[in-house]
Amino acid sequence: MSGVSSLSTSLVTNPTSRLPHRAIQCIDFLGFVPKGRPINVTLSWRFPVRTQVGVIQLFGLHRTKLKLKSFAFSVPNENDQAELCDSGTCTGDEMLVPFENDENLKGPDEEIVSSVLGTEVDLLRTVEHLGSKGSVVEKLKAVYLHVLASEQWNASQLKLCHRNYLDSATNLIHYLALRCLDIQQLKEDLTLVGLMNLEIINLHVLSSLNASIRLLEALKSNSLNPKDSISAGIFTEKRLDPQNDGKFTIQAMREKASSNSEFLLGRLQDGRTTHIMVTVGQEATENETFITDLIKAGTSIIRINCAHGNPSIWSEIIKRVKESSQMLEKRCRILMDLAGPKLRTGKLKSGPSVVKISPKKNASGNVVFPAQVWLSHREAGPPPTHLSQDTVLFLDDQQFLSELEIGDTIRFSDARGKKRMLRISKKIHVFSGTVCVAECTRTAYVQSGTELHLKGKKRRSQLGKVVDVPAIEPYIRLRVGDLLVISRSSSSELDKLPVTMSGTHKITCSSGYLFDSVKPGEPIAFDDGKIWGVIKGTDISEIIVSITHASPKGSKLGSDKSINIPESNIRFEGLTSKDLMDLEFVAAHADIVGVSFVRDIHDIVVLRQELEKRKLQNLGVILKIETKSGFENLPLMLLEAMKSSNPLGVMIARGDLAVECGWEMLADIQEEIISLCGAAHIPVVWATQVLESLVKSGVPTRAEITDAAHGRRVRCVMLNKGKHIVKAVSTLDNILHSKSAERKVDVKPILLSSHHLR
């Protein structure tokens, strides 16, 4: 038919149902219907009964208006078998659109939502009543019906969920059903009468709708009967009445969200409401008190990234966490992130093993404060986190350190041959020996093997040697307009690659996904979006990138930095071979596994299979949302993950997510993830760049403090490692958990005297 939009669906009841005539199914037709164009809807229905007379009722919701169309049918069946019956068709003003006298219809902005209900006479009368233009309570009842019908439509999916998550998954379906409706006007109507905000009922959708309906009806009749329930007048089957068994009450839903959080993250102590997670690496093995200081400051979860380090380092970290947790009698769980298929830059050739000693100078170049140098034997480790030292030097001889006294002068020649001195200002006795703090008033470059000489008038000369100076982290500096060649070659082969022009730099990436997926003209980002470029050319072994964004002085790009290709059609494998090997270690030592770069249901299916194969039904699982596809598929991935009994959570990895989806979209995406997970009663971890300036420099920005305060809305906030991480944990703990009486900011009351009121 010319100019007619056609839609078709079928209505089928459960053959085993005792009351098939009460079946409810919902089909949502989401689309745009121009004004004046009819819709041709074809419905097929099948009932496994001998003779059935009933009604198919269509009702459509456009903004706040409802119209209905009824279809009568009968099903004669002498063999007591189901038969396909006639279909009904309606067009033009018989159907749901266009709505008469609707001045708001604007063609491409229209959204039509239609539902199909199979029902008996009492349901028919109820729905007919709801379909008329009416009050706020009638609109709420229509929404309530739609939400319940969506639950029935997804019943087969819900049956697959583990019993631990069935109620939560059902509430998620309710929330998604609510979100697919255009109820902006209803929100405004509820606001005008001082009732609930539909944006914040995600934790308990059905109970909130029911409570508001009952309250509005009570206001109308000026009486409140607690036994009345909107569902009682519509559905007679107990399983469709959430108020009968209490499973979907507001209190029950809140308790379910709380228990799911404790199941994954553990129970908080001392009245705290939000966990603090901290990422640690090899530095945790070099300082005896580091982990203890973190837990004392408020850390309740330690995160280890399997993309860095090795099982030996991970084992030492875990050992120290367990010892410190037991000693302090504070629970601390361990999360280990699988590296996943993340694209990273390859290893660069190591720089020289030299450390720079730099005193503080003013604008004129004069020294205003000498550099503080920590001198210790290797076994003593670095200084405690509360002692801020500019440089750490390890010496080979504990005896040399023991004989040093405050005021002694140590002389040495630095890597350039310059004569320099260190003056001892402090001497500290520790469990493993003696350490000293020295001051240096001139810039020096110290390397492994540097000899330190101590000479005195009344004692013999002493000699100590500097050892284990780490290599300088290598990097290349990129500026706007530079060319960057990304090669499949290994780092050892990198220097052999020819470079024919200045301003061209080379780096490697071992992942074949990158070279197989990108095309000229597509954007590419490095190091969480600090550097951007455009792909100029590709072949099987190289990619040429023109740098389009970097800092004015050039941006550093080092080893193991992230690579993002947000517009490329790249397909990763769910779990890499390295992930599967690391999973064995995680299962034996950690409480929670973080799964990086999950994108769709297939990734969750693979994960569930690997966990079931290893019988890891008690291992916590955190899905890291880092890509656009991961965000878009989050509801389906949650429902798939809920088929297992594993404790479940979601991490908002804001670094990669911002690069993949766009900086300007991050705030909205973050809110959407929190809302979806709230509806599913799944705890959220808020991650990436929380208090980053404080962690790195010791001083936070104003925006960071506000951002950290928003962390109260989630179950866990994560901090990345840095020089001032212990201070950052303590600050975050104060922001999240200080008592309201201490935190409350009051405006001084205005005392009105009598002359103010004249």
Side-chain angles (χ1 to χ4, degrees), residues 120-136:
E120 58 183 2
V121 177
D122 59 342
L123 179 57
L124 171 59
R125 290 174 179 171
T126 303
V127 177
E128 285 176 341
H129 174 67
L130 301 182
S132 62
K133 297 179 183 178
S135 63
V136 175

Side-chain angles (χ1 to χ4, degrees), residues 711-723:
R712 299 173 194 155
R713 300 168 54 231
V714 299
R715 295 288 181 170
C716 181
V717 179
M718 189 187 90
L719 296 175
N720 282 322
K721 55 188 176 182
K723 184 177 181 181

Side-chain angles (χ1 to χ4, degrees), residues 172 175-180 187 198-200 202 625 628 630-635 638 650-652 654 657 661 665-682 684 686 713-714:
L172 176 59
Y175 177 71
L176 295 173
L178 182 66
R179 291 294 304 272
C180 80
K187 294 177 185 177
L198 291 179
E199 296 286 352
I200 59 174
N202 54 321
I625 307 303
K628 185 177 181 179
F631 164 68
E632 292 174 343
N633 293 316
L634 180 57
L638 288 176
V650 166
M651 178 183 288
I652 307 175
R654 300 190 294 180
L657 200 56
C661 300
M665 294 296 296
L666 179 61
D668 290 336
I669 289 174
Q670 178 176 276
E671 292 302 310
E672 187 71 12
I673 294 174
I674 293 174
S675 294
L676 283 169
C677 292
H681 307 147
I682 298 300
V684 171
W686 181 304
R713 300 168 54 231
V714 299

Side-chain angles (χ1 to χ4, degrees), residues 57-91:
Q57 188 74 57
L58 297 177
F59 70 92
L61 173 64
H62 183 281
R63 302 185 188 278
T64 61
K65 298 191 176 184
L66 291 169
K67 284 182 70 75
L68 296 98
K69 177 65 179 179
S70 300
F71 295 86
F73 66 90
S74 63
V75 188
N77 192 324
E78 297 179 355
N79 299 322
D80 200 21
Q81 295 178 355
E83 287 185 356
L84 186 64
C85 303
D86 294 336
S87 63
T89 301
C90 60
T91 59

Side-chain angles (χ1 to χ4, degrees), residues 232-391:
I234 301 176
F235 305 110
T236 58
E237 291 189 77
K238 182 177 179 180
R239 64 186 182 85
L240 292 177
D241 183 3
Q243 302 303 318
N244 284 342
D245 54 16
K247 289 197 305 181
F248 292 91
T249 63
I250 293 176
Q251 183 62 28
M253 294 291 95
R254 288 177 176 173
E255 290 175 356
K256 175 62 69 173
S258 179
S259 65
N260 285 349
S261 177
E262 288 187 9
F263 196 30
L264 176 72
L265 305 174
R267 180 171 296 180
L268 285 160
Q269 297 173 297
D270 304 324
R272 287 174 165 81
T273 57
T274 306
H275 288 271
I276 296 177
M277 179 188 297
V278 176
T279 302
V280 301
Q282 186 170 353
E283 73 281 356
T285 67
E286 298 170 350
N287 188 326
E288 292 292 337
T289 65
F290 181 69
I291 295 295
T292 302
D293 293 340
L294 286 177
I295 296 177
K296 280 182 179 178
T299 302
S300 56
I301 303 173
I302 292 293
R303 171 180 174 261
I304 300 171
N305 190 347
C306 293
H308 307 288
N310 54 61
S312 176
I313 294 174
W314 305 337
S315 297
E316 181 61 26
I317 294 173
I318 292 169
K319 172 176 168 289
R320 297 189 181 207
V321 170
K322 292 181 177 180
E323 289 175 350
S324 298
S325 176
Q326 185 175 9
M327 178 185 69
L328 297 172
E329 296 183 346
K330 291 187 175 183
R331 303 184 190 96
C332 186
R333 295 199 172 184
I334 297 167
L335 162 69
M336 296 189 71
D337 271 3
L338 301 179
K342 185 169 184 175
L343 300 175
R344 295 182 182 273
T345 58
K347 296 290 185 182
L348 293 171
K349 185 178 180 180
S350 298
S353 297
V354 177
V355 62
K356 182 181 179 180
I357 301 176
S358 300
K360 303 293 187 298
K361 299 180 181 181
N362 59 18
S364 302
N366 298 318
V367 174
V368 295
F369 194 77
Q372 303 297 299
V373 182
W374 178 269
L375 301 175
S376 72
H377 192 262
R378 183 65 181 177
E379 294 180 356
T385 53
H386 66 277
L387 295 178
S388 179
Q389 303 297 315
D390 299 306
T391 307

